[in-house]
Amino acid sequence: MPPVYRFIEIIVYSLLNFLPFLALALYPFRHSLRFSRGVTGILIGLLSVIQVMLGAWVSFVPGNHAAIASALSTALYAAFYFLAVKKHFGKTLFTLLMISNLANFAVISAKCIEGLLFPALAMQSYRWSFSMMLFAVEILLSVPIFLYMKSVF
């Protein structure tokens, strides 16, 4: 059984890779949610647990499951988003794709910075160094995007 700190690394990374972008995606539609805030919160909690379980599956089950886990995660995220938001499909799809691209950019940028600063750790997945770099990149990207969304939407 892997040590507890590895589980914590996976939990931190999974939530950092999911919750900030979900919050950004839901913010423009905060007044157009299909469910109450409580039900939406419960669904987000359930989706977060699934996200962590996918990370654990990729990390601890032998084999190369990363592509399947990524596709499954994306499908669940999109299904939740279209279920939770009741707005025009085109606007919802555009926002979802915009945030998805921002998330991909953040992950790629964080991995690149991690490779420059922590080359030995960058070869491993779900390490603290990657979570720290992802957090820094998210702060740099999310604040201007949030301010833009706040002024435009």
Side-chain angles (χ1 to χ4, degrees):
M1 180 156 165
V4 174
Y5 76 88
R6 283 294 293 146
F7 285 108
I8 295 172
E9 283 179 327
I10 290 165
I11 291 168
V12 168
Y13 170 76
S14 295
L15 295 179
L16 268 176
N17 193 26
F18 175 67
L19 289 177
F21 300 110
L22 180 63
L24 274 176
L26 288 177
Y27 180 77
F29 305 111
R30 66 192 176 282
H31 301 298
S32 303
L33 296 176
R34 191 172 310 275
F35 309 110
S36 68
R37 288 184 180 200
V39 171
T40 303
I42 290 170
L43 290 173
I44 290 170
L46 180 63
L47 219 56
S48 297
V49 169
I50 292 170
Q51 189 77 14
V52 169
M53 289 170 52
L54 287 172
W57 178 49
V58 169
S59 293
F60 301 131
V61 175
N64 189 8
H65 309 291
I68 295 169
S70 179
L72 187 57
S73 175
T74 301
L76 288 170
Y77 180 79
F80 163 77
Y81 194 63
F82 287 118
L83 179 69
V85 174
K86 63 175 181 186
K87 270 295 197 191
H88 185 269
F89 179 78
K91 186 174 185 179
T92 307
L93 179 63
F94 174 78
T95 304
L96 178 66
L97 292 174
M98 182 184 74
I99 297 299
S100 178
N101 284 334
L102 180 69
N104 288 333
F105 177 69
V107 168
I108 291 166
S109 299
K111 197 61 166 172
C112 180
I113 295 168
E114 181 195 26
L116 294 171
L117 299 178
F118 308 102
L121 293 175
M123 300 304 289
Q124 303 169 32
S125 61
Y126 302 107
R127 300 308 295 198
W128 287 109
S129 57
F130 185 49
S131 292
M132 288 184 333
M133 297 302 105
L134 183 59
F135 182 70
V137 169
E138 284 178 356
I139 295 286
L140 289 173
L141 293 176
S142 297
V143 171
I145 296 293
F146 172 75
L147 293 174
Y148 170 75
M149 284 182 164
K150 189 174 180 177
S151 68
V152 172
F153 283 97

